Amino acid sequence: MKRSLNAPVRILLCDDHAVVRAGLLALLGSEPDIEVVGETGSGEEAVAAAARLRPDVVLMDLQLGPGLDGVEATRRIAPTGVHVLVLTTYDTDADITRAIAAGATGYLLKAERPEELFAAIRAAAQGRPALSPPVAGRVLDRMRGAGRPALTPRELDILARLAEGLGNREIARALFISQATVKTHLGRIYDKLGVDTRAGAVAVAKEQRLLP
């Protein structure tokens, strides 16, 4: 989405916490080249407002309560040419991967300094990627880990059961192995996928097309 270099960056805020939005409004209001044109508290509202207001950047939280989460809202907004800059407290590999895969231009943590946020907004408005240092480090680690050992057939079996929502005991019964063996395999799966939760393992596996 093209914009005049002299025009202020038009921002749409999306966060389900009114206090957070108020804080961002006050913070961004201190920058003469940044203009907040709207605020929303849900993914559905963000999608509709982005289509109506055509901001340069949507500042998007990931967790938005019931309805569309930040990733799905990003997936719907990004193809329209509006840049999405994720601003969240979550920095797991699965969250980062999902957001970037959905089309987010940048991924920033709420713990960053205001100057980092301003710089990220200006970069995102120009379509340039903007990542918090911890996030950039994780992305690089994932890239370096692209050659991780492949999952074994047994690990793929367990991963498929995870995706079905089965617990360790149910997986053990289905595959005729002990719960201790299931836990051992899960540890290896997490290491190979670069995650630390069951949900993260399933999310990354789906992104990498490891599940049917």
Side-chain angles (χ1 to χ4, degrees):
M1 181 174 169
K2 294 183 179 179
R3 54 177 293 273
S4 169
L5 294 179
N6 296 321
V9 179
R10 303 174 71 251
I11 300 292
L12 171 65
L13 301 179
C14 181
D15 195 296
D16 61 339
H17 292 96
V19 172
V20 173
R21 295 200 305 273
L24 287 170
L25 278 168
L27 183 64
L28 297 175
S30 68
E31 294 299 290
D33 64 335
I34 295 176
E35 176 188 5
V36 177
V37 296
E39 57 175 294
T40 65
S42 73
E44 290 85 354
E45 292 174 351
V47 172
R52 184 178 71 255
L53 299 173
R54 299 298 294 172
D56 299 308
V57 177
V58 177
L59 210 53
M60 178 76 71
D61 194 10
L62 287 185
Q63 300 298 327
L64 298 172
L68 297 183
D69 65 4
V71 171
E72 184 56 36
T74 297
R75 185 173 288 112
R76 299 188 186 190
I77 293 171
T80 70
V82 175
H83 300 297
V84 178
L85 174 60
V86 171
L87 181 64
T88 183
T89 57
Y90 301 91
D91 67 344
T92 67
D93 287 355
D95 286 324
I96 296 167
T97 300
R98 289 177 63 229
I100 292 176
T105 301
Y107 196 108
L108 209 66
L109 300 180
K110 289 181 177 178
E112 293 296 336
R113 296 174 303 165
E115 294 78 11
E116 296 293 339
L117 172 60
F118 301 150
I121 286 173
R122 293 174 183 121
Q126 297 176 24
R128 294 188 285 111
L131 300 174
S132 285
V135 173
R138 282 179 173 273
V139 171
L140 287 174
D141 287 344
R142 288 291 298 276
M143 292 175 65
R144 295 186 186 112
R148 285 191 183 101
L151 297 181
T152 66
R154 174 61 83 191
E155 289 165 355
L156 288 171
D157 283 343
I158 290 175
L159 193 55
R161 299 313 194 280
L162 278 186
E164 294 171 5
L166 301 187
N168 288 5
R169 179 179 297 180
E170 296 167 307
I171 294 174
R173 287 177 179 172
L175 299 179
F176 303 101
I177 56 179
S178 70
Q179 290 188 59
T181 300
V182 172
K183 289 181 180 178
T184 298
H185 282 304
L186 283 177
R188 292 172 180 164
I189 290 170
Y190 292 170
D191 286 342
K192 290 180 179 180
L193 295 182
V195 300
D196 50 18
T197 65
R198 301 166 78 90
V202 172
V204 172
K206 288 180 178 179
E207 289 156 8
Q208 297 184 2
R209 302 183 186 278
L210 299 176
L211 294 173

